Amino acid sequence: MRYLLLLSFLLATPTASVAQSTPAPAPPKTGAPQQSPPTTAAPPQTPPRTGAPATPAQPRPRTTTPAPAARSGMTLNVLNPSGSPLEGIHVQVTGPMERMGETNSAGQMNFPGLPAGTYRLRFTGDGVIAFEREAVLQAGKVTPLQVTLSLAEAKKEEPKAAPAPPPPPLVGPVGSPQWGSLTELAKRAAQSKPVRHEVVLACSGNSRSMLQVLTEDQAQRVYDDADSTYYVLDGQGVVKIGERAGDVSTGSFVSVPRGMSYTVTRRGNKPLVMLWVLNGARCEEAR
């Protein structure tokens, strides 16, 4: 029995020595990061199967801001039938956007920044016939337009009767009534010494009547503010008004407008006796 215990002791002693002689592992150095032992990832768990297959997740649609539409425009050139520009023509534009304005001195007008589409244009103005037309604008393009407007006919005004000229103002004193025999007055004037070539018969306001007895030619005369009228009572002569000359005799009359020069020439041996009325000359002395 003792031998068995001793043999067991002997067999166990080397094992213990070996265990004691095995060096312990060195502690980790200070400052060096300690590496964690690798962990083994858990296997993915398979979801339990059901009767219907799982629906895959749908991606969300991205929202994008639409780009602004490109703007358009139009340029106008308004002319008359002869090709000359029309200024001050009113233009009204209706459609996707409404605009208005008037043409400049060159007959031009611009409408920028319009959206594309169909527009209605109306042209009006003084002296032209109103006109309308359509224009189609494309996106991002400026459309030039040339418009010719017809001229409106001028209204015919009925001619107005010219007003009667006012009577000339009375610039001289008012005369008194006169009457007598021109034949007797002419005879006495011719027999007087010296011969009385002009005898005032009546004078009132701006009208003067005189008896004229010519025994020689009369010098040239002109009255800027008076009209002369001659009535031939006896004798013969020639009256020249400007460049026009004419013969006169008993029973003739001559009218000379104001501002025209004239001369009277006697013919034959007899005196040229005339009644002379001057209208427009102020009477200096009432008779």
Side-chain angles (χ1 to χ4, degrees), residues 27-192:
K29 295 182 179 180
T30 305
Q34 299 182 2
Q35 295 182 355
S36 301
T39 59
T40 303
Q45 297 181 359
T46 303
R49 293 184 178 181
T50 59
T55 302
Q58 298 293 332
R60 295 182 180 180
R62 295 182 179 180
T63 57
T64 58
T65 303
R71 291 285 179 168
S72 306
M74 68 176 77
T75 60
L76 302 178
N77 190 18
V78 184
L79 308 174
N80 62 15
S82 62
S84 300
L86 289 174
E87 181 182 2
I89 299 300
H90 182 76
V91 184
Q92 185 174 6
V93 179
T94 56
M97 180 180 288
E98 295 188 359
R99 301 281 290 275
M100 66 176 61
E102 294 185 353
T103 57
N104 58 18
S105 59
Q108 298 176 350
M109 185 166 205
N110 300 328
F111 290 110
L114 296 175
T118 302
Y119 290 84
R120 190 74 178 176
L121 285 72
R122 179 175 174 83
F123 302 83
T124 56
D126 295 336
V128 298
I129 299 175
F131 177 72
E132 293 186 4
R133 66 161 294 177
E134 286 187 352
V136 179
L137 302 186
Q138 299 180 4
K141 294 182 63 177
V142 176
T143 302
L145 298 175
Q146 180 170 304
V147 179
T148 301
L149 300 182
S150 300
L151 300 180
E153 294 184 0
K155 296 182 179 180
K156 297 182 179 179
E157 297 183 358
E158 297 182 359
K160 298 181 180 180
L170 299 179
V171 295
V174 178
S176 58
Q178 301 288 334
W179 62 83
S181 173
L182 292 176
T183 304
E184 292 296 326
L185 289 174
K187 187 182 296 184
R188 281 185 285 177
Q191 293 175 354
S192 63

Side-chain angles (χ1 to χ4, degrees), residues 230-274:
Y230 289 90
Y231 301 93
V232 180
L233 304 177
D234 193 16
Q236 296 179 342
V238 177
V239 178
K240 184 178 180 182
I241 305 174
E243 299 298 328
R244 182 180 178 182
D247 297 335
V248 295
S249 59
T250 303
S252 300
F253 80 94
V254 178
S255 177
V256 183
R258 64 188 63 191
M260 299 188 70
S261 61
Y262 67 96
T263 59
V264 180
T265 303
R266 180 178 69 95
R267 279 188 178 177
N269 297 325
K270 295 177 59 176
L272 180 59
V273 182
M274 298 178 294

